[in-house]
Amino acid sequence: GILQHPDGTVLKQLQPPPRGPREQEFYNKVYDSDCCDSILLELREYLPKYFGVWSPPTAPNDTYLKLEDVTRKFNKPCIMDVKIGQKSYDPYASAEKIQQQVSKYPLMEEIGFLVLGMRVYHVSSDSYETQNQHYGRSLTKETVKDGISKFFHNGYCLRKDAIAASIQKIEKILQWFEGQEQLNFYASSLLFVYEGSCQATTTVRLSDVTLAEKRGVPKGLLSGGDILEYNNNIHVINSTGNGKIEASVSKGLSKFYALHKKAYSKRHHSQLSLKVENLEQDNVWKSSTCVAQERLNGNVIPQLEKVFCHVPAEIKESANVEVRMIDFAHVFPSNTKDEGYIYGLKNLITVLQNILDN
């Protein structure tokens, strides 16, 4: 498996020949300091960074590829590995090897990709759901859309922002493949990573929120009796004449979830502050009012999820998503486009777009 180095990189043990040396040669070629091939230089953008090989002092004959940890910057990384292409065997595979690979997933040629596994963070339970390669191989043409949408569902809602950002990144990789005819990739994967903490990092209009005092209900209640909790991460910036508010949510919201989730397990109520800034003249709140130490019901996180997860994708900032190409033990020189990989990318984009549209 993948090991972690204390310096924050990951270590992938070199496979037996010819696969391991072939993968090492691929990385060496792409990351050669003297490389001036524009195709390979652009390819670097879509791979984990490569830091050469490494061997442990206690086992100098064991060789590892030293690679960037693509998940390192994420708080709650959701990870999916998808093998791309119509063939998972290379041109030099024996008849026995071909039959073995085809039998593992006969639909590979028609679908163009295979989900090898996923790990999804569920906000509601503060836990991960994991699916292995058997899950991916159970998917059919009819169920593959629902099977992949599972990766983007956090237990409360579908993360459309992460899907949209993933499509954009796959499209860039597709453009690279459409413009190169020197490498063909077999049994190679795309690694998807997105932030599982339901972060809202942009200014959002809460169009259905009415000021609590307007309706004569306790402070902290939303229209319909929903409860919204504020701390230093959330500030009311504006109160319009019709009672609508805008809220600005800082990047610390993910930590807010983690911290307050733990707090609720210890107590039912929470005391938090609501900071009101620059309000228009209103007969409910005055400009400098600060509602401090407001005691609210603890059933808050689901309500925040309702508000922030259903914000239209077009008004969100680009989601925190990575899509990188990995696994290069079967990369070969070529003089034609990699039509099998291109087919898989296009079909995957279509499936993701269908999830987004529906």
Side-chain angles (χ1 to χ4, degrees):
I2 300 292
L3 305 177
Q4 192 137 27
H5 192 280
D7 66 6
T9 59
V10 293
L11 303 169
K12 179 183 180 181
Q13 189 161 23
L14 212 62
Q15 299 176 68
R19 291 174 297 164
R22 192 187 293 135
E23 184 165 31
Q24 183 183 350
E25 182 184 351
F26 168 80
Y27 274 113
N28 286 338
K29 181 178 180 180
V30 174
Y31 283 93
D32 188 335
S33 58
D34 296 327
C35 177
C36 55
D37 184 333
S38 60
I39 295 292
L40 298 183
L41 291 174
E42 184 187 346
L43 179 58
R44 293 179 184 180
E45 297 177 30
Y46 313 121
L47 312 183
K49 292 185 179 67
Y50 174 61
F51 303 101
V53 294
W54 178 88
S55 295
T58 53
N61 293 327
D62 289 349
T63 305
Y64 294 81
L65 299 172
K66 201 163 187 284
L67 302 167
E68 172 191 7
D69 181 358
V70 180
T71 70
R72 192 179 185 198
K73 68 179 181 180
F74 295 89
N75 179 33
K76 297 290 185 182
C78 296
I79 305 166
M80 178 169 66
D81 184 336
V82 182
K83 185 184 289 187
I84 304 292
Q86 291 177 285
K87 298 175 181 177
S88 57
Y89 53 88
D90 65 51
Y92 302 98
S94 64
E96 183 183 0
K97 178 70 172 178
I98 292 172
Q99 183 164 358
Q100 178 197 40
Q101 288 297 313
V102 170
S103 65
K104 284 182 178 179
Y105 194 55
L107 289 171
M108 189 79 180
E109 188 165 357
E110 191 172 355
I111 294 178
F113 60 85
L114 166 64
V115 177
L116 291 179
M118 65 174 71
R119 185 169 177 260
V120 189
Y121 177 69
H122 283 185
V123 180
S124 52
S125 59
D126 189 24
S127 63
Y128 282 94
E129 177 186 352
T130 302
Q131 302 289 350
N132 62 21
Q133 56 186 319
H134 299 294
Y135 172 81
R137 287 176 185 154
S138 71
L139 300 178
T140 65
K141 287 185 298 179
E142 292 72 31
T143 63
V144 68
K145 187 181 85 169
D146 290 338
I148 286 188
S149 68
K150 194 182 190 77
F151 173 64
F152 294 99
H153 204 289
N154 67 4
Y156 281 119
C157 62
L158 188 67
R159 287 288 304 277
K160 290 193 171 188
D161 58 325
I163 300 172
S166 296
I167 291 172
Q168 289 180 350
K169 290 182 180 292
I170 300 170
E171 284 175 340
K172 287 185 177 180
I173 295 173
L174 175 59
Q175 285 176 4
W176 181 85
F177 270 91
E178 293 277 22
Q180 71 90 22
E181 296 184 352
Q182 55 179 284
L183 293 172
N184 278 6
F185 294 73
Y186 302 92
S188 183
S189 292
L190 289 184
L191 184 72
F192 291 77
V193 190
Y194 73 88
E195 180 54 66
S197 302
C198 194
Q199 296 175 320
T201 58
T202 188
T203 299
V204 176
R205 176 176 291 280
L206 306 181
S207 57
D208 295 329
V209 177
T210 304
L211 290 177
E213 284 80 355
K214 279 259 191 186
R215 306 187 59 201
V217 294
K219 298 181 183 72
L221 290 181
L222 301 184
S223 58
D226 287 345
I227 294 165
L228 180 62
E229 179 174 4
Y230 295 82
N231 71 351
N232 292 334
N233 290 316
I234 308 178
H235 304 285
V236 176
I237 342 179
N238 208 347
S239 171
T240 61
N242 63 0
K244 302 294 177 69
I245 66 172
E246 286 183 357
S248 171
V249 185
S250 80
K251 292 181 179 179
L253 189 58
S254 60
K255 291 181 181 176
F256 156 72
Y257 280 120
L259 292 172
H260 289 284
K261 182 103 178 150
K262 292 176 182 175
Y264 294 139
S265 65
K266 296 178 181 176
R267 63 179 192 269
H268 292 292
H269 298 285
S270 179
Q271 293 184 331
L272 298 157
S273 63
L274 170 63
K275 185 179 179 184
V276 182
E277 305 178 52
N278 191 27
L279 294 173
E280 295 175 2
Q281 290 302 315
D282 191 283
N283 60 359
V284 180
W285 279 343
K286 293 183 180 178
S287 179
S288 61
T289 303
C290 181
V291 184
Q293 300 299 307
E294 185 61 46
R295 183 175 292 275
L296 299 175
N297 180 302
N299 184 25
V300 172
I301 289 180
Q303 310 306 329
L304 280 170
E305 294 293 344
K306 283 183 188 176
V307 173
F308 293 116
C309 285
H310 292 86
V311 172
E314 61 269 18
I315 66 169
K316 287 187 177 182
E317 290 178 358
S318 179
N320 193 6
V321 172
E322 290 285 354
V323 179
R324 304 287 186 93
M325 296 169 61
I326 58 170
D327 296 339
F328 306 112
H330 302 276
V331 179
F332 296 91
S334 173
N335 55 11
T336 61
K337 285 186 181 180
D338 191 342
E339 297 294 350
Y341 203 105
I342 289 172
Y343 176 91
L345 290 177
K346 286 182 175 179
N347 209 29
L348 181 55
I349 289 170
T350 300
V351 169
L352 291 173
Q353 193 63 54
N354 285 340
I355 295 170
L356 203 57
D357 294 342
N358 297 333

